[in-house]
Amino acid sequence: MARKLSIMDSGWLMMETRETPMHVGGLALFAIPEDAPADYMESIYRYLVEVNGICRPFNQKIQSHLPMRMDAAWVEDKTFDIDYHVRHSALPRPGRVRELLSLVSRLHAQRLDPSRPLWESYLIEGLEGNRFALYTKMHHSMVDGVAGMYLMQSRLANSAEDRLPVPWSGEWDAEKKPRKSSGAPAATTGMKGTVSNLRRGSGQLVDLLRQPKDGNVKTIYRAPKTQLNRRVTGARRFAAQSWSLPRIKAAAKQHGGTVNDIFLAMCGGGLRRYLLSQEALPDQPLVAQVPVSLRSADQAGEGGNAITTVQVSLGTHIAEPLNRLAAIQDSMKGVKSRLGDMQKSEIDVYTLLTNVPLSLGQVTGLSGRVSPMFNLVISNVPGPKNPLYLNGAEMLASYPVSLVLHGYALNITVLSYKDSLEFGVIGCRDTLPHIQRFLDYFEESLVELEG
């Protein structure tokens, strides 16, 4: 039975081109058990492909007859081929993280086959330190970042002794709710309870789209045009690194803020340093579009997209780090106040009104040629606090791999896991040189807040 896509989910299909593939992904690192046999990696591959049927959404493909897929619907793929979707790869020696990130950069640049279910997973062996990796990508029309994270983590085990079916196995009951995360509820910016407490009238919608008197509270189309806001090519560069969550919490406590405040300050400081190195820092502050999940904890495992977005000033025009942090906190406070005054129905309309011009800009080719709605997307996705296991192998880290668009050549996403914040930075390789330097710039920005 066909299931029609929502307007937001269809938008990701309409925007997709060779230069802008619309999938999101995740790169998970696992430890090979010390007593693993010589054929251990082959056994992991067999575990991934020798499955008893395929469950939703992994067995669903797009059916469409109208131009631009305006009638797109999900239907079951009756000729599903697991060997196409799950692939076994190996890194060249010496198998450093550098080689792994280079491989993921290339894999993430490749579009998914629109005639098949829109996902692929790569088992990658040969990683130094007795580790292996699993890189999985899924089309954004299938899942948003929160849904994808919950979908994968809910199908990993809580102990090395447990053996659960592979995430796409048909053994998963379609009606079964995923295991609740031991982490925070699904809210990407720490706005716990914001949506559930929305109260006031529709006039707030117009107010949210209008530029407020306080210039530190941002709306769309209030961002300077920068090097980040050019047209992109299909080439990608992915960089990733983990930061200690207790360390970031200590910095937050020191300055009376939240983990998300410090995360945004690391991004703001990193962007300031990067643009200074390119001699391209604008006088006005960069504006981040920050996705906010509208899912409750019980809805986190559902497919599709259930997000809205807000615009936050990153204070990149401010040289002094504490003043920059204060500007970010002030901007976020204003966003929370204005969004919190809206009802759920108004947020739905607001989300549609802010996404339509973004989609039209991509489809018409205007994005990257006119003033940007914002400068980049920055996401913070809460994850599990306890270790997870894949068929006995402990997951050591999990890095988000997002997407970029014409006019928005950089994306920064973090995922919390155990006691770490896992940073994933993806950008257009040709538009933004030396993306890996952001990792050093994030660290420098955190150090200056600890001083």
Side-chain angles (χ1 to χ4, degrees):
M1 180 177 177
R3 180 169 60 90
K4 188 172 175 57
L5 275 69
S6 69
I7 294 176
M8 181 178 291
D9 294 346
S10 296
W12 297 108
L13 294 172
M14 295 177 185
M15 289 190 292
E16 187 162 53
T17 66
R18 183 180 63 82
E19 293 81 15
T20 57
M22 292 292 152
H23 53 254
V24 293
L27 173 65
L29 308 188
F30 294 89
I32 297 176
E34 294 182 2
D35 58 350
D39 65 346
Y40 178 77
M41 290 308 304
E42 178 61 27
S43 70
I44 290 290
Y45 177 69
R46 290 197 303 270
Y47 161 72
L48 295 176
V49 297
E50 294 177 358
V51 296
N52 182 20
I54 304 294
C55 66
R56 289 193 178 194
F58 298 98
N59 66 347
Q60 302 289 297
K61 67 178 181 179
I62 293 292
Q63 175 181 277
S64 177
H65 304 290
L66 296 179
M68 296 182 65
R69 299 189 178 185
M70 298 178 65
D71 63 336
W74 294 113
V75 297
E76 183 178 353
D77 183 1
K78 301 295 186 181
T79 60
F80 185 89
D81 181 3
I82 187 66
D83 291 323
Y84 177 87
H85 292 274
V86 181
R87 308 177 186 186
H88 195 173
S89 303
L91 295 175
R93 292 182 179 180
R96 297 168 298 182
V97 171
R98 177 185 300 179
E99 280 80 36
L100 175 63
L101 297 181
S102 179
L103 173 60
V104 171
S105 298
R106 292 196 299 273
L107 294 175
H108 202 68
Q110 300 168 7
R111 289 183 64 178
L112 293 163
D113 184 346
S115 69
R116 300 175 184 267
L118 296 172
W119 69 278
E120 294 173 4
S121 191
Y122 294 79
L123 175 65
I124 305 169
E125 64 173 285
L127 181 60
E128 64 179 359
N130 206 36
R131 298 173 294 173
F132 70 91
L134 188 67
Y135 162 70
T136 302
K137 60 181 179 181
M138 303 177 70
H139 202 278
H140 212 319
S141 61
M142 292 178 65
V143 292
D144 59 42
V146 171
M149 184 274 295
Y150 271 85
L151 177 64
M152 297 303 289
Q153 82 167 51
S154 67
R155 297 179 180 183
L156 296 179
N158 286 320
S159 72
E161 291 70 36
D162 292 340
R163 295 295 187 271
L164 298 181
V166 73
W168 40 85
S169 171
E171 296 177 54
W172 288 99
D173 182 358
E175 301 301 319
K176 180 180 177 183
K177 293 292 184 182
R179 181 179 65 245
K180 286 187 179 181
S181 167
S182 57
T188 59
T189 63
M191 298 183 186
K192 182 178 180 181
T194 297
V195 176
S196 62
N197 295 322
L198 303 173
R199 296 180 293 275
R200 295 204 321 218
S202 60
Q204 294 294 332
L205 173 61
V206 176
D207 183 58
L208 191 57
L209 290 171
R210 183 187 301 128
Q211 176 70 1
K213 293 180 180 179
D214 181 358
N216 200 36
V217 179
K218 296 299 177 182
T219 63
I220 59 173
Y221 298 117
R222 296 291 175 173
K225 189 167 186 179
T226 71
Q227 186 174 348
L228 281 61
N229 306 118
R230 299 174 181 171
R231 304 284 291 179
V232 300
T233 69
R236 296 291 178 266
R237 183 64 183 266
F238 177 61
Q241 191 166 307
S242 301
W243 267 267
S244 163
L245 191 53
R247 180 185 173 194
I248 292 175
K249 285 181 176 179
K253 183 178 180 181
Q254 179 181 346
H255 299 294
T258 66
V259 167
N260 197 65
D261 292 337
I262 301 301
F263 161 56
L264 289 174
M266 290 173 68
C267 293
L271 284 160
R272 177 181 169 84
R273 285 174 163 81
Y274 178 81
L275 291 174
L276 281 173
S277 73
Q278 302 293 309
E279 299 183 351
L281 180 68
D283 295 332
Q284 299 168 332
L286 267 65
V287 177
Q289 173 151 287
V290 180
V292 179
S293 176
L294 303 180
R295 300 177 190 272
S296 66
D298 289 339
Q299 297 172 320
E302 298 177 2
N305 289 263
I307 55 174
T308 190
T309 55
V310 296
Q311 286 71 43
V312 179
S313 169
L314 296 175
T316 50
H317 61 309
I318 301 174
E320 207 284 319
L322 295 185
N323 290 341
R324 189 185 315 124
L325 173 62
I328 292 170
Q329 291 174 312
D330 182 59
S331 184
M332 181 58 76
K333 181 180 178 181
V335 164
K336 291 181 181 180
S337 174
R338 304 178 84 207
L339 189 62
D341 285 335
M342 296 173 64
Q343 297 178 2
K344 173 64 166 62
S345 59
E346 295 166 341
I347 288 183
D348 290 341
V349 175
Y350 161 74
T351 302
L352 180 63
L353 290 178
T354 54
N355 275 277
V356 165
L358 178 64
S359 299
L360 288 177
Q362 299 297 314
V363 172
T364 61
L366 289 176
S367 290
R369 296 187 172 100
V370 298
S371 296
M373 298 170 60
F374 48 88
N375 294 114
L376 76 161
V377 175
I378 298 180
S379 303
N380 182 356
V381 181
K385 295 180 180 179
N386 300 318
L388 299 176
Y389 297 82
L390 176 74
N391 204 36
E394 181 181 357
M395 187 169 77
L396 303 174
S398 180
Y399 300 108
V401 194
S402 196
L403 54 81
V404 298
L405 305 168
H406 285 305
Y408 309 96
L410 182 70
N411 180 292
I412 303 171
T413 302
V414 299
L415 170 68
S416 60
Y417 175 57
K418 297 192 297 186
D419 289 327
S420 295
L421 272 188
E422 319 280 35
F423 280 62
V425 182
I426 188 79
C428 174
R429 188 186 192 100
D430 297 323
T431 306
L432 300 175
H434 311 301
I435 288 174
Q436 71 278 6
R437 292 181 182 174
F438 274 102
L439 303 179
D440 294 330
Y441 297 151
F442 293 151
E443 172 64 18
E444 293 170 9
S445 299
L446 177 57
V447 168
E448 67 184 6
L449 291 173
E450 296 173 315

